[in-house]
Amino acid sequence: ETGVTQTPRHLVMGMTNKKSLKCEQHLGHNAMYWYKQSAKKPLELMFVYNFKEQTENNSVPSRFSPECPNSSHLFLHLHTLQPEDSALYLCASSQAGLARTYEQYFGPGTRLTVT
Amino acid sequence: DQQVKQNSPSLSVQEGRISILNCDYTNSMFDYFLWYKKYPAEGPTFLISISSIKDKNEDGRFTVFLNKSAKHLSLHIVPSQPGDSAVYFCAASEGYGNKLVFGAGTILRVKS
């Protein structure tokens, strides 16, 4: 596997379900990100992890819970979601931006539908 | 309020001609700008970037121009190819930390 992978690619869940999205990067990066893309809206940054530590939570509701066990893996745990949470969830990775901004490399995304 | 705006939702260009995609920003503290391309069912792919200390950066068929006084950047693709048909996103960041702010995207269609 190369680049950034995400599983599952598609997910349908009810509002009472609990599910998790998984992201893995094979690029040797030390920063990882979760983004949300709703229809006809810009990508919205949700969470940033640098060296496994969360450095940014962009006012995301607590029904979204990220986990970064190591620099290569990132999870997004979902529980009691709302229909408006239906969107494309994208994971990305990059070198940690400690002194400058680095380009981010994205996975293919998980298309989430909340029923 | 959107800090990065791509005011053209779509653009149609003939193969071989120039494609010009535009992006405006409001935050004068942004100092690094990137362009991404996205095909359906795939994640965005990094294309080209430019630091605020430059006004032009070129990579093959892709050139990004930055006009800091106008808070405007553009991506030129010459010559355009049908495989360039995709959604193009402009993104910007301030200082370090890798917090990218994205525009809503422009759909480019290159007709053969």
Side-chain angles (χ1 to χ4, degrees), chain A residues 9 31 33 35 37 41-43 45 48 56 88 90 94-108, chain B residues 2 4 31-32 34 36 38 41-46 49 89 93-105:
Chain A
R9 294 294 307 275
Y33 314 80
Y35 285 87
Q37 186 179 24
K41 286 189 176 181
L43 276 72
L45 180 64
V48 180
E56 183 75 21
L88 180 68
L90 290 158
S94 75
Q95 294 298 332
L98 301 178
R100 52 154 284 194
T101 295
Y102 289 91
E103 56 272 18
Q104 296 174 20
Y105 293 83
F106 285 82
Chain B
Q2 276 187 257
V4 177
D31 58 5
Y32 196 74
L34 308 92
Y36 282 83
K38 186 181 184 301
E42 294 183 14
T45 302
F46 169 71
S49 61
F89 293 97
S93 73
E94 173 186 342
Y96 56 89
N98 287 344
K99 285 176 58 178
L100 298 184
V101 179
F102 281 84

Side-chain angles (χ1 to χ4, degrees), chain B residues 1 4 10-11 13 17 25 28 43 45 49 52 58 60 64 67-68 71-72 79 87 90 93 98-100 102 104-105:
Chain B
D1 187 34
V4 177
S10 65
L11 174 68
V13 172
R17 305 296 288 270
Y25 61 95
S28 58
T45 302
S49 61
S52 60
E58 191 172 351
V64 56
N67 183 332
K68 289 186 289 293
K71 296 192 184 68
H72 177 83
V87 181
C90 165
S93 73
N98 287 344
K99 285 176 58 178
L100 298 184
F102 281 84

Side-chain angles (χ1 to χ4, degrees), chain B residues 8 24 42 97-98 108:
Chain B
S8 299
D24 297 296
E42 294 183 14
N98 287 344
L108 173 66

Side-chain angles (χ1 to χ4, degrees), chain A:
Chain A
E1 291 273 22
T2 58
V4 181
T5 59
Q6 288 186 245
T7 55
R9 294 294 307 275
H10 300 272
L11 178 61
V12 179
M13 60 185 288
M15 290 189 284
T16 58
N17 291 158
K18 288 185 180 181
K19 296 285 185 183
S20 295
L21 309 184
K22 178 183 175 182
C23 175
E24 184 172 359
Q25 60 96 1
H26 306 267
L27 299 168
H29 291 155
N30 40 41
M32 297 188 77
Y33 314 80
W34 280 116
Y35 285 87
K36 175 184 178 182
Q37 186 179 24
S38 303
K40 298 186 180 179
K41 286 189 176 181
L43 276 72
E44 300 172 57
L45 180 64
M46 301 174 72
F47 301 103
V48 180
Y49 279 82
N50 283 286
F51 299 99
K52 302 187 299 178
E53 298 297 322
Q54 187 181 123
T55 54
E56 183 75 21
N57 177 338
N58 200 18
S59 304
V60 181
S62 59
R63 57 186 184 270
F64 295 91
S65 174
E67 178 190 0
C68 189
N70 54 61
S71 292
S72 299
H73 293 86
L74 185 65
F75 296 88
L76 188 62
H77 304 298
L78 316 171
H79 63 98
T80 60
L81 294 190
Q82 305 298 312
E84 59 264 28
D85 296 322
S86 298
L88 180 68
Y89 289 85
L90 290 158
C91 172
S93 72
S94 75
Q95 294 298 332
L98 301 178
R100 52 154 284 194
T101 295
Y102 289 91
E103 56 272 18
Q104 296 174 20
Y105 293 83
F106 285 82
T110 296
R111 174 68 63 186
L112 173 67
T113 303
V114 181
T115 60

